[in-house]
Amino acid sequence: MRWYVVIFLLTQTVVQAQQERADFEKFFTDHNVQGCFVCLDAGQNRYVRYNPERCRQAFLPASTFKILNSLIGLETGFIADENYLIQWHWVERSIPSLNQDHTLKSAMKHSVVWYYQELARRVGVERMSALVKESHYGNEDISDKIDTFWLEGALRISPDEQVGFLRRFYEFHLPFSRRSVEIVKSILLQEENERYRLYAKTGWAVRTDRQIGWFVGFVERDRSVYYFATNIESSCKEALFGPARIEISKAILRDLNILD
């Protein structure tokens, strides 16, 4: 077979592995937000996207960075395991669940910013920077304050890059031990039944002119893994913005027959 025929067939395979779903717009307009969605069926090496241009754009990771922050904390030894406790320093916050001591597991569940800020300070700039770069996380830029660079600093990551990072995480292709990855995976579990397991993390960048919301993760189903990232944006600070990230994601995943 001539070389240019081989290239053509390979190109066709790549094209067939990409599907754009413009009809997913309805899930975003129903919640009065703009956004995008990307999902990778790892078994079929097949991507499904809504708004692929935005899927390539980079945004503040906000609390989705807690996935990597947890791995770094475990790998550097500043956290022993998911039960490692950091004491609350009596700084009152508006959400009652934040005003107490937390473990790594509960800090992930309740998205406790102060816990991860304290962890980042303990890890320090040098170790944090090195491991963010080794993980090829987004633009790898943590040049701002060590305890806010993922909230209002220079660090940026695209939805496509989120999916790539999650796949490397799941397949143990990051510079972390299997133990660290398994611990973080366990605390990302959101729901499970006899048909599937959903692992995910929310993110909400509020220290910007326009709010940026995330819901990223993966689903194990029928011996397959589906990685996804949902990104939404709004100029209005509405109470429904937070739930919208999750509701949009689950609606699309149900449409794709990944969730029931």
Side-chain angles (χ1 to χ4, degrees):
M1 185 179 294
R2 295 181 180 274
W3 64 267
Y4 51 81
V5 176
V6 174
I7 292 175
F8 173 79
L9 291 175
L10 289 173
T11 303
Q12 290 298 102
T13 300
V14 171
V15 171
Q16 290 169 2
Q18 311 282 336
Q19 182 183 13
E20 183 176 351
R21 291 289 301 271
D23 59 309
F24 285 170
E25 181 181 11
K26 62 188 177 185
F27 297 114
F28 294 85
T29 56
D30 285 348
H31 290 81
N32 196 31
V33 296
Q34 303 172 31
C36 64
F37 173 86
V38 54
C39 180
L40 167 63
D41 177 344
Q44 300 296 321
N45 199 29
R46 176 174 175 269
Y47 286 88
V48 176
R49 291 183 178 88
Y50 162 68
N51 198 351
E53 290 186 6
R54 185 180 178 93
C55 288
R56 295 189 292 269
Q57 295 177 24
F59 305 89
L60 278 164
S63 286
T64 64
F65 183 73
K66 288 182 172 68
I67 300 173
L68 183 53
N69 205 351
S70 297
L71 288 168
I72 291 173
L74 288 163
E75 201 71 15
T76 55
F78 288 96
I79 291 178
D81 53 32
E82 68 272 27
N83 299 311
Y84 185 84
L85 187 76
I86 295 182
Q87 294 183 330
W88 175 47
H89 294 304
W90 296 95
V91 177
E92 290 283 348
R93 293 169 176 85
S94 59
I95 302 174
S97 62
L98 303 183
N99 301 325
Q100 61 187 58
D101 298 347
H102 275 282
T103 63
L104 180 67
K105 183 176 182 178
S106 66
M108 180 68 81
K109 178 180 179 180
H110 297 284
S111 205
V112 181
V113 173
W114 67 257
Y115 184 101
Y116 283 93
Q117 288 182 306
E118 175 61 24
L119 174 57
R121 287 191 287 266
R122 294 183 186 187
V123 171
V125 173
E126 185 175 345
R127 294 187 188 91
M128 182 70 75
S129 179
L131 287 168
V132 167
K133 289 178 180 178
E134 286 182 45
S135 301
H136 303 295
Y137 188 88
N139 65 359
E140 306 174 7
D141 188 348
I142 71 158
S143 58
D144 298 271
K145 291 179 62 177
I146 185 62
D147 55 3
T148 59
F149 64 82
W150 66 94
L151 299 170
E152 58 183 0
L155 186 63
R156 297 289 186 277
I157 190 169
S158 71
D160 281 347
E161 289 171 331
Q162 290 269 23
V163 165
F165 169 75
L166 289 166
R167 186 175 192 177
R168 296 195 304 277
F169 165 78
Y170 188 89
E171 296 180 352
F172 304 104
H173 293 156
L174 291 174
F176 306 105
S177 67
R178 179 174 289 266
R179 176 182 180 273
S180 295
V181 172
E182 293 288 6
I183 288 173
V184 176
K185 179 183 175 184
S186 72
I187 64 177
L188 288 172
L189 182 62
Q190 295 249 335
E191 61 182 67
E192 64 177 324
N193 55 41
E194 61 185 11
R195 296 174 301 281
Y196 65 81
R197 294 187 183 91
L198 168 64
Y199 302 82
K201 183 69 192 78
T202 56
W204 191 344
V206 297
R207 305 181 187 187
T208 56
D209 293 336
R210 296 181 65 84
Q211 296 185 98
I212 300 296
W214 292 99
F215 194 57
V216 307
F218 51 90
V219 179
E220 296 175 331
R221 180 172 186 139
D222 300 328
R223 298 182 180 179
S224 296
V225 184
Y226 304 86
Y227 305 93
F228 68 90
T230 302
N231 175 278
I232 66 173
E233 179 177 339
S234 176
S235 59
C236 302
K237 293 186 176 181
E238 301 176 356
L240 297 177
F241 184 83
R245 304 164 294 175
I246 301 172
E247 292 170 8
I248 292 169
S249 301
K250 289 186 174 181
I252 295 176
L253 291 170
R254 284 192 293 268
D255 189 282
L256 293 170
N257 297 315
I258 296 171
L259 297 184
D260 297 333

